């Protein structure tokens, strides 16, 4: 037990110490984990051979990642992107694979090994590239959007690759492994399909996939709904984990890739109301496991190989970058991506990616690539990723300035995504806000923690998601970084204040509009940083008051004027009242000063109302006030 | 000669469909000596801030109403603006001299063709005649009234490429007003300011 604690502590410490620094230096978190691994592995020798065991465990992060990739893929979005996705993405993966394969063949590798290497190097680093785009605000440029399509295609392409690579297994490696396992009397892997005839195996496989797709569609939603209504957050997390692990287990049992299963389940759930909540629950597990995976990769780096073959490794790295950039650059010309965007597209995706590590270790396990070759290639993948920040710097400092002068002449980038609005809480208040916005074509993301409420909305075709909007992770998956504004209309007073405070603190640029229950609440929301606050009862109560005035005989237009005057005075006094409220002593919300001001406010309003009725010329109600009776005496005919 | 400050009060209820007024207003907004106020944007509920509008008037030397002609008059918010802002004791009455000596003009667009605005045309009155209520308002409040600056057949102005020329004239007019190099007496006499501009507008343009 003690050893486990010590080991876990070493891994966590390395991650905590190195990753934030790497990110600050612009290297990104993936490289941070790799460096952390290198430090605790080959450099200091704090961890030893157990990294191999841990790596197998950590690979489950990849399964989770593909579940999340699936969740992000709405069929509709895929269809809209089909040209760029298949055209750009497909050609990029295809051409790069062939070119890298040719080089590998030139190094006298057999064709199976060469093909596997080609596939591995056709992938780029989604993690590094997307993170850098976010940091530099390049995601919405033409180059950035096209790069995203390619990355998306690569992420999807990983699944057939995982299925295909075992076919390439080298007979002599398999044989060696068999000998080894025989010698060690390796225990049988748990399998449902061992020894089945192939036709039955086919049926079992199809049935398993059917279970995932149909179960995902018809069973998981009632289950999630049932759990959600219980209001137990940790049970929801447990359910999310159970789904992913259960599917992975089922797939392993029938001899299919767990990643494929969870990816399918993700796609099936992409349209469900639980999408954002599932994402935010699985995300931390995925992040930690993938981090652990990269640490183990770093820890496994063999400095012996690096020092003995450094010329080879460095030249291979540059070859990979040049080939990938070349392919991307020519594709960009074919697809008419112009100017600086062409460079951005070409340079940003020129590295190998984290999936390269995954596929490499997968290939070794499946006896496709010999271990020593894999170790060299691992270094090439890592080195190309280390060089990515340099390529971005090259783009920023050299390429971009060359195009800056001409960029003003060209047409503005076509903006596909308008700024979106996140509405937290879609009960009786948020619902009306949402209807108005949606009717005007504004993109909204609606969040509510009442599963029944979300169901009702979905039945009338209002796209909404189940989830607790006060959870930072959910806000993140709902896209708060890109949102233009947030409407806070949740029913819990305290949580509304906390949410406003958190959002204004973490994302100061986002405008927050908040619904308050009463004056006191509105001050608290203002104090928390809300940009615009409306007390929920104010306008409706004024309307009822106005109707009452009309009913007792006031002229409707006069009532409108009086109502407006009332609102003006309230509005003018609100700043003073707020300051009084702020100066309150602890425990005494409404101090004497505040009460005094409130009484004065009521008197001002009363006075203004009376004056308006008298028809005198006064300062508070001036609209359409007639001039004095004798005013024409001043005018003389010519 | 002293430079003049211009207050441009613009009223267009459907700005998103505007073809002529919008570019004119946007171009004028860029000028440092013009305070451009989009009244429908500022007072979408017609709740006009009388104090703010009065102090704006006091701070400027030239007041321009820019609007598309609606039923031979201003869009309703400009009428509302007059009803509320030109108060007794401010704009008229024995104490009401705040506007004395300022210059006032209208910059309008009209859908009808230019020839329709005369006794023989289907609109029967000239544009200057139709705008008489504003002329008299200017006189009663002690302002110098200038003839209107207008664009006619405005619905086809874009198609007929008349907009750019009109905008150039408009910006030139604003600059002359600002520099106070316009013959105010002549500008008060003519039927339309366009006539005067055509005679003095730089020939090279």
């Amino acid at each position: 037990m003690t050893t486990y604690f010590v080991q876990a502590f070493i891994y966590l410490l390395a991650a905590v110490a190195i990753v934030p620094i790497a990110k600050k230096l612009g290297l990104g978190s993936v490289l941070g984990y790799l460096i952390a691994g290198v430090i605790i592995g080959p450099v200091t020798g704090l961890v030893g051979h157990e990294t191999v065991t841990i790596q197998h465990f950590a690979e489950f992060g990849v399964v989770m990642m593909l579940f999340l990739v699936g969740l992000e893929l709405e069929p509709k979005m895929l269809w809209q992107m089909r040209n760029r996705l298949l055209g750009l993405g497909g050609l990029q993966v295809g051409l790069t694979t062939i070119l890298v394969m040719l080089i590998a063949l030139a190094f006298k590798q057999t064709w199976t090994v060469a093909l596997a290497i080609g596939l591995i190097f056709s992938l780029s680093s989604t993690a590094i590239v997307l993170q850098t785009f976010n940091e530099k605000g390049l995601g919405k440029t033409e180059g950035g959007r096209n790069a995203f399509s390619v990355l998306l295609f690569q992420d999807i392409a990983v699944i057939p690759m995982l299925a295909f690579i075992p076919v390439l297994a080298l007979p002599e490696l398999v044989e060696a492994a068999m000998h080894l396992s025989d010698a060690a009397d390796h225990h049988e892997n748990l399998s449902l399909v061992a020894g089945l005839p192939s036709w039955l195996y086919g049926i079992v496989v199809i049935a398993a996939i059917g279970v995932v797709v149909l179960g995902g569609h018809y069973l998981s939603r009632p289950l999630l709904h049932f759990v959600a209504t219980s209001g137990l957050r940790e049970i929801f997390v447990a359910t999310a984990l159970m789904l992913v692990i259960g599917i992975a287990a089922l797939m392993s049992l029938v001899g299919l890739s767990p990643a494929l299963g969870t990816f399918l389940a993700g796609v099936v759930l992409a349209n469900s109301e639980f999408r954002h909540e599932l994402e935010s629950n699985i995300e931390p597990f995925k992040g930690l496991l993938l981090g652990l995976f990269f640490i183990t990769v770093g820890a496994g780096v063999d400095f012996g190989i690096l020092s003995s073959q450094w010329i080879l490794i460095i030249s291979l790295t540059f070859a990979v970058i040049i080939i990938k950039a070349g392919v991307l650059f020519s594709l960009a010309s074919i697809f008419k991506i112009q100017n600086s965007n062409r460079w951005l597209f070409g340079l940003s995706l020129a590295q190998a990616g984290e999936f390269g590590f995954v596929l490499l270790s997968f290939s070794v396990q499946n006896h496709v690539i010999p271990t020593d070759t894999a170790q060299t290639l691992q270094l090439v993948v890592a080195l190309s990723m280390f060089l990515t920040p340099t390529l971005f710097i090259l783009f920023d400092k050299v390429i971009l300035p060359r195009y800056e002068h001409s960029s003003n002449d060209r047409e503005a980038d076509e903006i596909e995504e308008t700024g979106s609005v996140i509405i937290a809480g879609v009960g009786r208040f948020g619902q009306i806000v949402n209807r108005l916005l949606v009717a005007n074509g504004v993109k909204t993301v609606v969040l509510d923690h009442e599963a029944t409420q979300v169901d009702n909305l979905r039945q009338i075709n209002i796209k909404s998601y189940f989830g607790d909007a006060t959870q930072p992770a959910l806000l993140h998956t709902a896209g708060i970084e890109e949102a233009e504004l947030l409407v806070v209309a949740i029913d819990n007073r305290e949580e509304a204040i906390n949410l406003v405070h958190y959002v204004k603190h973490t994302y100061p640029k986002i405008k927050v509009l908040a619904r308050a229950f009463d004056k006191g609440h509105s001050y608290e929301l203002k104090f928390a940083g809300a940009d615009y606050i409306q007390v929920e009862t104010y306008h409706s109560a004024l309307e009822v008051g106005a109707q009452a005035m009309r009913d007792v005989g006031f002229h409707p237009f006069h009532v409108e004027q009086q109502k407006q005057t009332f609102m003006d005075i309230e509005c003018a006094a609100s700043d003073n009242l707020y300051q009084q409220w702020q100066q309150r002593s602890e425990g005494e919300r409404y101090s004497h000063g505040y009460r005094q001001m409130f009484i004065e406010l009521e008197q001002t309003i009363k006075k203004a109302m009376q004056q308006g009725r008298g028809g005198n010329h006064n300062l508070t109600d001036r609209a359409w006030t007639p001039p004095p009776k004798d005013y024409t005496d001043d005018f003389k005919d010519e | 000669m002293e430079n003049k400050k211009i207050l441009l009060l613009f009223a267009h209820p459907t700005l998103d469909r505007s073809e002529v007024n919008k570019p004119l207003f946007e171009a004028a907004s860029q000028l440092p000596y013009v305070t451009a106020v989009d009244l429908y944007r500022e007072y979408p509920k017609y709740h006009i801030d009388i104090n703010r509008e009065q102090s704006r008037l006091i701070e400027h030397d030239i007041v321009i109403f820019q609007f598309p002609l609606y039923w031979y008059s201003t869009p309703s918010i400009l009428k509302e603006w007059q009803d509320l802002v030109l108060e007794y004791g401010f704009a008229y009455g024995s104490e009401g001299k705040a506007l004395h000596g300022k210059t006032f003009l209208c910059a309008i667009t009209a859908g009808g063709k230019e020839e329709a605005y005369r006794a023989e045309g289907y609109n029967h009155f000239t544009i200057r005649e139709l705008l008489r209520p504003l002329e008299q308002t200017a006189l009663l409040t002690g302002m110098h009234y200038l003839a209107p600056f207008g664009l006619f057949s405005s619905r086809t102005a874009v198609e007929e490429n008349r907009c750019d020329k009109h905008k150039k004239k408009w910006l030139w007019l604003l600059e002359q007003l600002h520099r106070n190099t316009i013959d105010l007496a002549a500008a008060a006499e003519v039927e339309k300011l366009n006539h005067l501009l055509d005679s003095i507008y730089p020939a090279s343009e």
Side-chain angles (χ1 to χ4, degrees):
Chain A
M1 200 67 194
T2 323
T3 348
Y4 285 126
F5 282 142
V6 173
Q7 273 180 0
F9 180 72
I10 292 171
Y11 280 96
L12 289 171
L13 179 70
V16 170
I18 311 289
V19 176
I21 298 175
K23 211 184 153 189
K24 279 237 166 64
L25 295 175
L27 295 172
S29 58
V30 174
L31 289 177
Y33 285 119
L34 286 174
I35 298 168
V38 170
I39 291 176
I40 59 171
V43 173
T44 56
L46 285 172
V47 291
H49 276 290
E50 80 282 357
T51 50
V52 182
T53 331
I54 294 176
Q55 191 170 38
H56 291 318
F57 173 67
E59 272 164 16
F60 192 61
V62 178
V63 174
M64 288 180 158
M65 176 156 175
L66 284 164
F67 179 65
L68 294 178
V69 170
L71 271 183
E72 291 281 354
L73 294 182
E74 283 181 67
K76 208 170 83 188
M77 185 185 88
L78 283 183
W79 184 246
Q80 279 168 356
M81 292 173 69
R82 62 190 183 279
N83 287 335
R84 264 190 265 159
L85 212 58
L86 290 177
L88 268 182
L91 284 173
Q92 186 272 334
V93 172
L95 289 176
T96 315
T97 306
I98 291 170
L99 287 175
V100 174
M101 189 178 163
L102 289 177
I103 292 189
L105 287 174
F107 273 85
K108 306 234 169 9
Q109 299 287 349
T110 59
W111 71 271
T112 51
V113 176
L115 179 54
I117 295 174
L119 291 173
I120 287 164
F121 280 99
S122 69
L123 304 174
S124 310
S125 171
T126 310
I128 295 183
V129 177
L130 286 191
Q131 190 192 327
T132 316
F133 279 175
N134 278 344
E135 280 163 12
K136 296 185 188 286
L138 294 167
K140 293 267 154 52
T141 62
E142 205 194 335
R145 279 208 317 266
N146 284 305
F148 176 76
S149 326
V150 172
L151 288 171
L152 193 60
F153 181 85
Q154 293 178 354
D155 286 354
I156 301 172
V158 167
I159 290 160
M161 287 185 195
L162 286 173
F164 176 66
I165 284 178
V167 181
L168 299 175
L170 292 171
E172 63 266 30
L173 285 181
V174 178
E175 214 166 298
M178 293 291 266
H179 281 305
L180 210 64
S181 65
D182 281 348
D185 196 15
H186 203 65
H187 67 87
E188 275 277 297
N189 265 336
L190 197 56
S191 172
L192 279 182
V193 288
L196 283 185
S198 56
W199 63 271
L200 198 57
Y201 176 63
I203 292 176
V204 170
V205 166
I206 291 168
I209 292 177
V211 165
V212 170
V213 172
L214 296 175
H217 198 266
Y218 293 105
L219 294 178
S220 67
R221 285 163 79 161
L223 171 69
L224 289 168
H225 190 263
F226 169 71
V227 176
T229 40
S230 77
L232 295 168
R233 200 177 149 69
E234 69 279 11
I235 292 299
F236 196 94
V237 178
T239 317
L241 278 178
M242 184 191 79
L243 278 178
V244 176
I245 294 176
I247 292 163
L250 176 67
M251 288 292 132
S252 306
L253 282 176
V254 301
L256 285 178
S257 140
L260 172 70
T262 49
F263 174 77
L264 272 179
V267 176
V268 171
L269 286 169
N271 264 330
S272 91
E273 63 270 45
F274 298 103
R275 172 180 152 196
H276 289 306
E277 185 74 3
L278 283 171
E279 267 182 88
S280 67
N281 284 330
I282 297 289
E283 184 87 45
F285 293 104
K286 176 217 90 176
L288 275 178
L289 284 175
L290 274 188
L292 190 58
F293 175 76
F294 294 130
I295 292 182
T296 57
V297 170
V301 167
D302 191 335
F303 272 87
I305 298 178
L306 185 62
S307 56
S308 61
Q309 306 185 353
W310 64 273
I311 297 176
L312 176 71
I313 288 169
I314 288 175
S315 29
L316 280 178
T317 308
F318 278 100
V320 165
I321 291 179
I322 290 166
I323 288 174
K324 295 194 76 167
V327 168
L328 290 161
F329 209 81
S330 11
L331 284 178
S333 327
I334 297 169
F335 282 78
K336 299 202 171 56
I337 303 168
Q338 287 176 353
N339 300 338
S340 63
N341 281 314
R342 185 181 297 177
W343 285 95
L344 176 64
F345 180 72
L347 291 179
S348 64
L349 298 176
Q351 75 296 96
E354 55 273 15
F355 272 123
F357 291 127
V358 175
L359 289 185
L360 267 174
S361 75
F362 185 73
S363 309
V364 172
Q365 277 168 45
N366 285 283
H367 322 296
V368 178
I369 297 178
T371 317
D372 51 339
T373 316
Q375 274 181 332
T376 313
L377 294 176
Q378 211 169 48
L379 289 171
V380 175
V381 173
L383 198 56
S384 75
M385 285 166 78
F386 270 110
L387 288 175
T388 306
T390 338
L391 293 181
F392 273 107
I393 292 168
L394 178 73
F395 174 76
D396 271 350
K397 299 275 185 262
V398 183
I399 313 280
L400 208 52
R402 279 179 48 200
Y403 286 97
E404 219 121 65
H405 62 278
S406 66
S407 64
N408 290 335
D409 305 334
R410 73 190 182 104
E411 290 279 297
D413 272 352
E414 185 192 336
I415 297 167
E416 282 173 5
E417 287 170 70
T418 53
S420 65
V421 175
I422 298 179
I423 299 177
V426 69
R428 57 209 172 95
F429 196 93
Q431 214 174 103
I432 299 174
V433 177
N434 184 50
R435 276 168 57 201
L436 181 64
L437 290 175
V438 170
N440 281 284
V442 179
K443 225 172 87 185
T444 63
V445 179
V446 170
L447 307 170
D448 203 289
H449 69 286
E450 288 278 336
T452 332
Q453 180 70 20
V454 172
D455 266 3
N456 293 340
L457 288 171
R458 284 195 158 238
Q459 273 164 20
I460 51 170
N461 290 329
I462 295 177
K463 206 167 187 190
S464 39
Y465 296 99
F466 165 79
D468 184 352
T470 58
Q471 295 296 324
L474 184 74
L475 281 177
H476 170 77
T477 52
I480 187 115
E481 281 91 352
E482 294 93 45
E484 221 163 274
L485 49 93
L486 168 74
V487 176
V488 177
I490 52 179
D491 275 337
N492 185 311
R493 293 175 69 118
E494 290 304 315
E495 280 181 5
I497 297 164
N498 293 340
L499 175 59
V500 170
H501 183 80
Y502 167 76
V503 170
K504 283 311 275 190
H505 185 76
T506 322
Y507 313 99
K509 278 187 219 149
I510 289 174
K511 204 169 176 189
V512 175
L513 318 187
R515 176 272 303 262
F517 287 91
D518 50 41
K519 243 199 187 82
H521 193 220
S522 78
Y523 297 150
E524 285 176 293
L525 287 166
K526 189 171 177 176
F527 192 65
D531 298 279
Y532 175 87
I533 302 144
Q534 195 62 256
V535 178
E536 62 168 4
T537 49
Y538 184 60
H539 286 284
S540 36
L542 272 178
E543 278 309 317
V544 174
Q547 180 60 35
M549 277 181 79
R550 290 189 285 269
D551 284 344
V552 298
F554 286 93
H555 188 284
F557 192 63
H558 176 67
V559 171
E560 263 339 275
Q561 301 312 308
Q562 296 297 75
K563 200 177 82 187
Q564 190 60 55
T565 309
F566 183 98
M567 283 170 19
D568 288 348
I569 296 170
E570 273 269 350
C571 182
S574 68
D575 276 349
N576 284 333
L577 284 166
Y578 172 64
Q579 268 150 27
Q580 275 292 329
W581 175 86
Q582 259 186 308
Q583 286 159 15
R584 74 198 189 271
S585 53
E586 278 302 319
E588 196 199 359
R589 281 245 158 115
Y590 299 99
S591 63
H592 177 70
Y594 182 90
R595 277 198 297 272
Q596 195 56 42
M597 283 193 69
F598 195 81
I599 293 166
E600 280 168 25
L601 170 67
E602 285 307 296
Q603 282 165 349
T604 317
I605 290 175
K606 204 168 168 189
K607 211 167 129 202
M609 297 284 151
Q610 296 303 326
Q611 281 173 339
R613 276 172 70 190
N616 298 324
H617 207 87
N618 63 72
L619 284 170
T620 47
D621 180 23
R622 293 153 61 176
W624 302 281
T625 310
K629 301 263 185 205
D630 59 350
Y631 86 108
T632 49
D633 296 354
D634 295 334
F635 302 125
K636 306 237 165 13
D637 292 329
E638 278 158 34
Chain B
M1 243 178 274
E2 203 191 336
N3 283 341
K4 303 289 185 191
K5 285 167 75 181
I6 300 172
L7 176 62
L8 180 62
L9 296 169
F10 173 54
H12 197 307
T14 50
L15 199 55
D16 51 332
R17 281 189 241 158
S18 166
E19 292 172 3
V20 181
N21 273 297
K22 193 176 173 188
L24 292 186
F25 179 71
E26 281 169 357
S29 311
Q30 304 296 316
L31 302 174
Y33 46 84
V34 173
T35 304
V37 179
D38 178 352
L39 286 172
Y40 276 107
R41 174 184 297 275
E42 214 156 298
Y43 306 113
K45 294 181 177 174
Y46 276 57
H47 185 49
I48 290 169
D49 185 337
I50 301 173
N51 285 332
R52 186 203 287 167
E53 292 306 311
Q54 289 184 348
S55 42
R56 272 179 180 155
L57 283 170
I58 291 167
E59 284 160 17
H60 294 82
D61 312 295
I62 297 165
V63 181
I64 304 178
F65 281 7
Q66 186 199 339
F67 57 93
L69 202 63
Y70 272 61
W71 285 112
Y72 311 108
S73 182
T74 66
S76 60
I77 202 167
L78 259 176
K79 182 65 167 68
E80 184 92 346
W81 183 93
Q82 297 166 49
D83 295 355
L84 296 176
V85 179
L86 304 180
E87 278 184 314
Y88 176 79
F90 173 79
Y92 69 105
S94 54
E95 304 289 312
K97 295 186 165 56
L99 304 180
H100 278 218
K102 296 186 192 298
T103 301
F104 175 84
L105 71 142
C106 294
I108 62 159
T109 58
K113 56 182 197 281
E114 193 158 8
E115 303 80 59
Y117 289 91
R118 53 184 172 142
E120 305 78 31
Y122 66 80
N123 279 325
H124 299 111
F125 301 95
T126 69
I127 202 76
R128 177 136 190 185
E129 282 166 346
L130 290 169
L131 294 176
R132 279 280 149 78
L134 287 167
E135 182 167 353
Q136 171 53 20
T137 301
L139 294 180
L140 192 82
T141 55
M143 296 196 279
H144 303 294
Y145 182 79
L146 305 189
F149 173 69
L151 176 85
F152 295 89
S153 305
S154 58
R155 296 296 293 140
T156 53
V158 172
E159 288 78 0
E160 292 159 16
N161 295 319
R162 288 183 283 122
C163 271
D164 275 345
K165 203 177 165 208
H166 188 70
K167 190 166 97 180
K168 275 185 190 142
K169 273 194 197 176
W170 163 243
L171 292 175
W172 188 76
L173 169 66
L174 290 173
E175 197 188 337
Q176 302 311 309
L177 287 166
H178 164 62
R179 291 209 203 138
N180 203 12
T181 51
I182 254 181
D183 181 352
L184 291 180
E189 284 307 311
V190 287
E191 172 62 29
K192 285 188 288 262
L193 216 47
N194 304 49
H195 298 325
L196 187 74
L197 283 183
D198 290 340
S199 63
I200 54 173
Y201 188 66
S204 60
E205 294 289 332

